Amino acid sequence: MGEYLVVGWSAKKLDILVENTEKFARKNITLYRFQVALFAILGYCYLFLIITFFFFPLILFSIIYSSKSHQNIWGWIHITLMYLPIFPFIFLTLISFRVLFKNCLPPKGKYLNRVEFPKLFDLIDEITNKLKVPTLKNVVLNEELNAAVIQVSKLGIFGWYENYLILGIPLMSVLSTDEFRSVLVHEIGHLSGNHSRFNGWIFRLRETLTQMQKHMQKVNEGHTSIFVTPFIRWYIPFFDAYSFILARINEYDADKFALQLTGAENCALSMIKIEIANGFVNNIFWQNIYQNIEHQPKPPDDVYTKLLEKLQDVNTFKNNYNFLKKALARKTNNFDTHPCLTQSL
């Protein structure tokens, strides 16, 4: 959930809602899923209502425009004066469609291809076949200590999804081949046909709504605030919170896939190494870089080379077990669908 959920909700209100929802889901998971489905349908109904409401004046104007009365200048003046109130609705229609059908931007990074990296794509194909996932054609390399699968919607809230597998070079440098395979299985597992179709639908809707709100915040279209934003400001946080438990279940399911295909040891070691590496990178490596920048005339040009060297050094992990202790002491919260390390282990 994170920052976009808290925009319209206090942390206390969020916690109460999620905790109450979790209790309810434990008692009656079937009814809980049914209610999540109803709230999802509510969002689609609202969007269709907005489109219908805005389409009416647009169609009316089209009829007027196609009439013969606009063939001379006086006809145009007549149309403009009589139907001037329609123009704002047409403008709102176009803006609303821009928001609702906005193409979410694909992730940035280096896009890999099968010819250059056949072994990586063979490994991905093996995992997608076992998990009943369509072939992943978009594999993106970036500089983050992370891996993720995201779905980019070509039709905004109405879907037509394209899958992207994002792999961070620092993450790949930390893990062995088997440990990296475990991470791949977990991430690709979110798209698995072994999930129920309902879970997949809710997962995609949550991702699309989040991207939609990000877009709305960036664009900051004041003209849409009267018609679209009030409902969206209520609906996205509420739906995100109410479907939170389902998203948490999906994380555990993805862990189960990794466990089944790669074994407990590889799953555990990948989690532990990533925690230590993240602690080292965020609290030591980058802090040292920032401190040194103050005394250097130019920024260093070999930062990522040094980072990879440190992450591949065994002593980096031996000397930083304190980050593992902190991770093990951390508790699962209601701001991240990922369970804490202790719970995952």
Side-chain angles (χ1 to χ4, degrees), residues 214-256:
K214 287 180 181 179
H215 170 64
M216 290 180 68
Q217 289 177 341
K218 288 181 180 179
V219 174
N220 195 22
E221 298 281 9
H223 302 288
T224 61
S225 60
I226 298 175
F227 294 92
V228 178
T229 306
F231 179 84
I232 295 299
R233 281 181 176 171
W234 168 82
Y235 177 75
I236 293 181
F238 182 85
F239 183 77
D240 203 4
Y242 204 80
S243 60
F244 180 88
I245 305 304
L246 198 63
R248 177 70 58 76
I249 293 173
N250 287 346
E251 289 296 335
Y252 284 124
D253 286 345
D255 282 341
K256 288 178 182 178

Side-chain angles (χ1 to χ4, degrees), residues 78-239:
H78 176 73
I79 291 175
T80 303
L81 293 176
M82 288 190 63
Y83 300 101
L84 190 62
I86 295 177
F87 295 154
F89 286 97
I90 297 173
F91 183 62
L92 286 170
T93 302
L94 299 176
I95 294 178
S96 297
F97 268 76
R98 179 184 176 185
V99 173
L100 300 179
F101 291 96
K102 170 68 178 177
N103 288 342
C104 299
L105 296 177
K108 295 180 180 179
K110 176 179 173 56
Y111 282 69
L112 308 183
N113 61 65
R114 190 176 294 272
V115 176
E116 289 182 294
F117 304 94
K119 290 185 179 180
L120 174 61
F121 277 86
D122 287 344
L123 176 59
I124 294 171
D125 288 344
E126 176 194 339
I127 295 171
T128 55
N129 289 334
K130 290 182 178 179
L131 295 179
K132 301 178 183 178
V133 174
T135 302
L136 278 166
K137 299 178 182 179
N138 302 305
V139 181
V140 187
L141 209 62
N142 66 16
E143 75 284 357
E144 297 178 7
L145 208 163
N146 192 25
V149 165
I150 66 170
Q151 295 187 303
V152 174
S153 172
K154 295 182 179 179
L155 290 179
I157 193 67
F158 296 102
W160 192 6
Y161 299 98
E162 190 167 6
N163 299 326
Y164 291 81
L165 174 63
I166 304 173
L167 303 175
I169 297 176
L171 177 101
M172 298 171 73
S173 70
V174 166
L175 305 175
S176 68
T177 302
D178 290 334
E179 293 160 1
F180 175 63
R181 185 169 180 265
S182 177
V183 172
L184 279 182
V185 173
H186 173 96
E187 297 302 335
I188 297 174
H190 286 300
L191 306 175
S192 175
N194 294 326
H195 272 314
S196 70
R197 291 184 179 181
F198 174 76
N199 285 8
W201 171 46
I202 298 300
F203 174 80
R204 289 191 295 271
L205 182 57
R206 284 172 57 90
E207 291 296 311
T208 303
L209 287 172
T210 299
Q211 292 185 46
M212 179 180 173
Q213 183 157 337
K214 287 180 181 179
H215 170 64
M216 290 180 68
Q217 289 177 341
K218 288 181 180 179
V219 174
N220 195 22
E221 298 281 9
H223 302 288
T224 61
S225 60
I226 298 175
F227 294 92
V228 178
T229 306
F231 179 84
I232 295 299
R233 281 181 176 171
W234 168 82
Y235 177 75
I236 293 181
F238 182 85
F239 183 77

Side-chain angles (χ1 to χ4, degrees), residues 49-66:
L49 181 65
I50 289 293
I51 292 171
T52 304
F53 181 74
F54 285 157
F55 244 126
F56 177 74
L58 185 60
I59 294 173
L60 183 60
F61 180 76
S62 299
I63 294 172
I64 297 170
Y65 179 79
S66 62

